[in-house]
Each structure stands twice: as C-alpha cells, then as structure tokens.
Amino acid sequence: MKKLILHSALALVLTGAIFAQPSGGPPGEDPCKTERQTYCKDSRPGPETDRCLRDYISKLSETCKNHVNEMISRFEKFRSACAADDEKYCKNVERGPAHMKCMRENESKLSPACKAALPSPPPGGGPRM
C-alpha cells in the first residue's frame, strides 16, 4: 500500500501537478522536455512518463536530473509531514488530483508541519501535462 501511495504521489510530483516549478529555469518551462521527447515519447503523460524518466535517470541532463531529484525530495518531505493527516482526513480518497484536493479542503485542520509541507497549487490551478 505504501508503495502504491509513493508511486501515485511521485507521479504527480514529477509531472508538476502538485509542486511548483523549482528554481533554475523560467516559470512554466519543463526542465525535462527534451528528455520526455527523447526517451518517453511513447509514454502517456503522467505516471507512465514519470516512470520512464526514472528508468532513464542516468541518461538525463543535469538540469532534468536535478529537477527529478528535487521533486522526489519535496514529495518525501510532504509524505513524512502529512502521513497522520492523510490517514485521518483523506485515506479513502483515490491518489492523484482528487487526493490533493482533499488535503487542500482539509487544510485548516492539518497539523502545522503538514500545512508547511503542503505544496502550493500549480499555476493556473490545474495539472500541467
């Protein structure tokens, strides 16, 4: 179950659906665009493409590799800080955008550590694919 949660949330993290663009590039620019097109062009956007990027991590540009590693790190901090709140408020919600929506809807009830780790909504309010 933890593995499913990790992979579902990590997929959202890597596609930018949860976390804002990291520093180091113009806002809204995909630091892995070339790699997605080169290695993952036959993958569907979302979890499948993100798994593909992780499979090719050794071949990624430093910029893309740094982006992927930063997203993994942010997700781990979020998961750790919000585990109890997730179990309390959103345990029966499907992983993905609906799950993050649940966390945001319960933001006023979340622990201070989870609130601090809760990512900002993506620009434009929706997933960026």
Side-chain angles (χ1 to χ4, degrees), residues 14-129:
L14 293 176
T15 59
I18 294 178
F19 293 99
Q21 184 72 27
S23 60
E29 186 175 301
D30 180 359
C32 296
K33 181 178 180 178
T34 300
E35 289 84 346
R36 288 180 205 280
Q37 292 171 347
T38 301
Y39 302 114
C40 307
K41 65 179 182 261
D42 295 328
S43 300
R44 290 184 302 209
E48 194 174 308
T49 300
D50 297 331
R51 271 191 294 278
C52 175
L53 285 176
R54 289 191 311 272
D55 289 346
Y56 284 96
I57 193 92
S58 66
K59 296 183 178 186
L60 303 179
S61 68
E62 284 304 309
T63 301
C64 180
K65 195 181 296 186
N66 290 340
H67 172 73
V68 170
N69 287 330
E70 183 178 337
M71 295 301 100
I72 291 169
S73 175
R74 287 182 183 188
F75 167 70
E76 289 297 330
K77 288 176 185 173
F78 168 74
R79 187 176 68 114
S80 176
C82 295
D85 294 301
D86 178 47
E87 180 70 20
K88 187 173 182 179
Y89 302 112
C90 303
K91 79 176 188 177
N92 295 321
V93 178
E94 182 180 344
R95 299 295 165 189
H99 185 262
M100 189 52 59
K101 180 180 178 189
C102 175
M103 294 295 283
R104 289 190 198 294
E105 287 173 349
N106 288 287
E107 188 171 357
S108 65
K109 303 176 215 168
L110 301 177
S111 67
C114 183
K115 281 183 190 179
L118 189 67
S120 301
R128 182 190 61 162
M129 298 288 173

